[in-house]
């Protein structure tokens, strides 16, 4: 069995680590690229959201490298994600790509189904080994998130342009290379040291912007045109409202690990404006605006794929939530027709607005 799975930012580091820890052969799709999206857009339904198209492209590219089994998350609720695995499987079959598809449904809804599906991948491995592998995958995701979080602070203050990006790539490589929990511990430390070695001006004034919205577009740099990097180079310190390790703790570990930020705070803060689940991270998008405003952020950027239903609902409520929090919010919608230059122009205009607003406030106007 040669298992593949879709890309979503640095998710591959933790899933690959977890599967290889169990001795399962992994075929990693090449990083998302123009080709991946072209393939997905060619064979996917036109009005499907971008994650489906990029996933489809990932699976075609992984098949070319020899993958024969797909491991994919499922879901339930208003968002279409719940049936994407089945749709993608049917499209791949029609195209002549013969894959075995293993769909992992969220444990809070179908725990016995989930355990049966995990066994399809892990075979005769004991549950103790599987639990150890999941823990190991989580530790990798935490190590990745910690170096990414450091990059948010370092990039807008770096003295030599591009040094943070090079350090981050090197730190992620260290974490990816680690083969067992002991090595991972040392690699996580080395990763942080690499990040701290970037020369910075700690006194440089920065604008603080929260990145909020749909999970896939937030985590996958190809889908968001590397928004963190662009903002950082404009002198903006970002914070992403979602990190993989936080999602794992919230949804797989039911919040058992303490001291990790939880999306529960966002959902609770959404209540005056949105009182029920609308799928995806729609509630979190609304609630995060007031949470970030309280933390002193200057603005927020909502990112989501064209036709994403939960985020369209959130977008319609944002004007009220943003006015109540007194925080400007820019919405960016991406699909296969979006261009990087247009995105940069809109970001520059928004950051300019935030900088003027901050300046006027400091002057007491
Ligand atoms: S949350 Fe939005 S973009 Fe993500 S799968 Fe659902 S509809 Fe598509």
């Amino acid at each position: 069995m040669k298992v593949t799975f879709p890309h979503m930012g640095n998710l591959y580091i933790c899933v690959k680590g977890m599967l290889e820890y169990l001795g399962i052969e992994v075929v990693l799709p090449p990083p998302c690229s123009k080709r991946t999206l072209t393939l997905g857009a060619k064979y996917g339904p036109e009005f499907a959201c971008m994650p489906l198209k990029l996933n489809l492209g990932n699976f075609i590219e992984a098949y070319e490298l020899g993958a024969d089994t797909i491991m994919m998350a499922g879901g339930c609720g208003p968002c279409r994600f719940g049936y994407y695995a089945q749709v993608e499987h049917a499209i791949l079959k029609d195209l002549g790509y013969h894959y075995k598809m293993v769909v992992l449904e969220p444990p809070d809804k179908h725990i016995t189904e989930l355990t049966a599906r995990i066994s399809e991948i892990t075979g005769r491995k004991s549950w103790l080994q599987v639990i150890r592998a999941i823990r190991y995958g989580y530790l990798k995701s935490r190590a990745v998130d910690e170096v990414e979080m450091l990059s948010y602070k370092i990039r807008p203050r770096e003295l030599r342009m591009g040094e943070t990006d090079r350090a981050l790539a090197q730190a992620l490589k260290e974490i990816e290379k680690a083969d067992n929990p002991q090595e991972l511990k040392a690699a996580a430390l080395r990763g942080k040291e690499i990040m701290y070695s970037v020369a910075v001006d700690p006194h440089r004034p920065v604008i603080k912007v929260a990145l909020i919205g749909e999970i896939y577009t937030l985590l996958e740099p190809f889908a968001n045109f590397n928004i963190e990097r662009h903002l950082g180079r404009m002198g903006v310190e970002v914070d992403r409202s979602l990190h993989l390790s936080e999602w794992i703790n919230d949804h797989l570990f039911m919040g058992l690990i303490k001291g990790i930020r939880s999306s529960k705070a966002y959902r609770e803060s959404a209540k005056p404006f949105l009182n029920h689940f609308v799928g995806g991270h729609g509630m979190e998008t609304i609630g995060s605006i007031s949470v970030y405003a309280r933390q002193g952020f200057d603005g927020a950027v909502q990112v989501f794929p064209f036709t994403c239903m939960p985020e369209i609902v959130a977008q319609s409520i944002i004007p009220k939530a943003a006015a109540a929090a007194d925080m400007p919010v820019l919405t960016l919608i991406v699909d296969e027709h979006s261009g990087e230059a247009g995105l940069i122009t809109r970001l520059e205009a928004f950051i300019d607005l935030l900088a003027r607003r901050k300046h006027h406030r400091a002057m007491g106007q």
Side-chain angles (χ1 to χ4, degrees):
M1 189 192 303
K2 292 179 177 178
V3 180
T4 193
F5 49 85
H7 273 297
M8 185 167 75
N10 293 317
L11 165 93
Y12 76 93
I13 296 179
C14 93
V15 178
K16 180 170 166 275
M18 182 180 79
L19 292 174
E20 287 181 346
Y21 190 77
L22 287 166
I24 296 164
E25 192 176 345
V26 173
V27 176
L28 210 55
C32 290
S33 66
K34 194 85 195 133
R35 179 176 187 253
T36 318
L37 186 55
T38 306
L39 285 169
K42 184 172 173 191
Y43 299 118
E46 186 183 355
F47 285 101
C49 46
M50 202 188 203
L52 178 138
K53 294 172 189 173
L54 280 170
N55 285 185
L56 201 54
N58 289 152
F59 297 147
I60 294 173
E61 291 185 308
Y63 196 88
E64 292 165 355
L65 296 175
D68 56 27
T69 304
I70 292 172
M71 194 176 92
M72 166 94 187
C76 38
C79 158
R80 292 166 287 180
F81 183 72
Y83 63 73
Y84 271 11
Q86 281 74 22
V87 172
E88 287 161 2
H89 195 202
I91 296 170
L92 289 166
K93 200 170 157 213
D94 286 351
L95 292 171
Y97 299 108
H98 297 291
Y99 260 127
K100 175 182 166 132
M101 175 77 87
V102 181
V103 186
L104 306 177
E105 302 285 349
D108 41 343
K109 300 280 189 300
H110 311 276
I111 187 74
T112 47
E113 225 177 86
L114 176 72
T115 51
R117 294 287 161 83
I118 291 176
S119 304
E120 279 184 51
I121 299 263
T122 57
R124 288 157 180 247
K125 297 282 180 306
S126 73
W127 279 105
L128 186 64
Q129 283 169 301
V130 173
I131 289 166
R132 280 194 182 134
I134 293 174
R135 182 177 173 275
Y136 176 60
Y138 167 77
L139 292 174
K140 277 213 169 195
S141 74
R142 193 66 204 153
V144 166
D145 288 346
E146 282 174 356
V147 290
E148 281 191 333
M149 286 176 201
L150 284 176
S151 76
Y152 303 158
K153 296 202 180 297
I154 296 168
R155 197 179 279 117
R157 299 174 173 94
E158 67 186 7
L159 295 181
R160 285 178 290 273
M161 201 170 95
E163 207 175 330
T164 312
D165 297 336
R166 287 189 287 277
L168 182 60
Q170 205 187 330
L172 291 172
K173 232 5 323 97
E174 291 285 335
I175 296 164
E176 188 187 347
K177 265 187 342 205
D179 264 342
N180 54 54
Q182 289 72 34
E183 276 184 34
L184 177 59
K185 223 174 176 178
L189 278 175
R190 262 198 316 278
K192 285 186 191 171
E193 278 166 19
I194 293 168
M195 295 308 293
Y196 284 123
S197 71
V198 176
V200 293
D201 171 2
H203 306 296
R204 188 181 289 170
V206 295
I207 298 283
K208 288 175 82 177
V209 168
L211 296 174
I212 60 178
E214 191 268 340
I215 184 167
Y216 186 88
T217 18
L218 281 179
L219 265 57
E220 175 53 53
F222 177 80
N224 63 37
F225 297 96
N226 256 310
I227 193 168
E228 291 170 12
R229 187 180 296 170
H230 287 305
L231 285 168
R233 289 186 178 177
M234 289 176 203
V236 177
E237 181 183 322
V238 299
D239 185 35
R240 202 200 294 150
S241 59
L242 263 160
H243 286 96
L244 191 60
S245 59
E246 296 162 355
W247 187 93
I248 295 174
N249 190 34
D250 271 347
H251 297 277
L252 300 184
F253 300 167
M254 304 306 158
L256 274 175
I257 300 172
K258 303 296 167 206
I260 303 278
R261 185 175 64 171
S262 164
S263 57
K264 205 170 154 206
Y266 299 148
R267 285 192 294 279
E268 276 163 10
S269 295
K271 284 198 181 131
F273 310 102
L274 182 60
N275 288 306
H276 56 89
F277 180 62
V278 291
H281 289 85
M283 271 188 103
E284 285 85 343
T285 296
I286 294 298
S288 61
I289 295 172
S290 58
V291 172
Y292 278 113
R294 283 198 293 274
Q295 289 172 12
F297 274 70
D298 301 297
V301 178
Q302 179 202 21
V303 202
F304 69 90
F306 181 55
T307 78
C308 168
M309 298 172 301
E311 292 299 324
I312 290 170
V313 175
Q315 186 194 10
S316 67
I317 303 168
I318 280 179
K320 276 192 180 166
D326 192 22
M327 190 163 79
V329 180
L330 170 73
T331 291
L332 296 174
I333 304 173
V334 290
D335 71 358
E336 64 268 33
H337 306 294
S338 307
E340 192 163 8
L343 174 121
I344 295 172
T345 309
R346 294 189 65 196
L347 286 178
E348 281 172 347
F350 184 62
I351 299 312
D352 197 37
L353 175 140
L354 296 183
R356 282 163 193 261
R357 199 169 176 265
K358 196 170 181 164
H359 176 74
H360 287 144
R361 288 185 159 197
M363 296 286 131
Q365 291 167 3

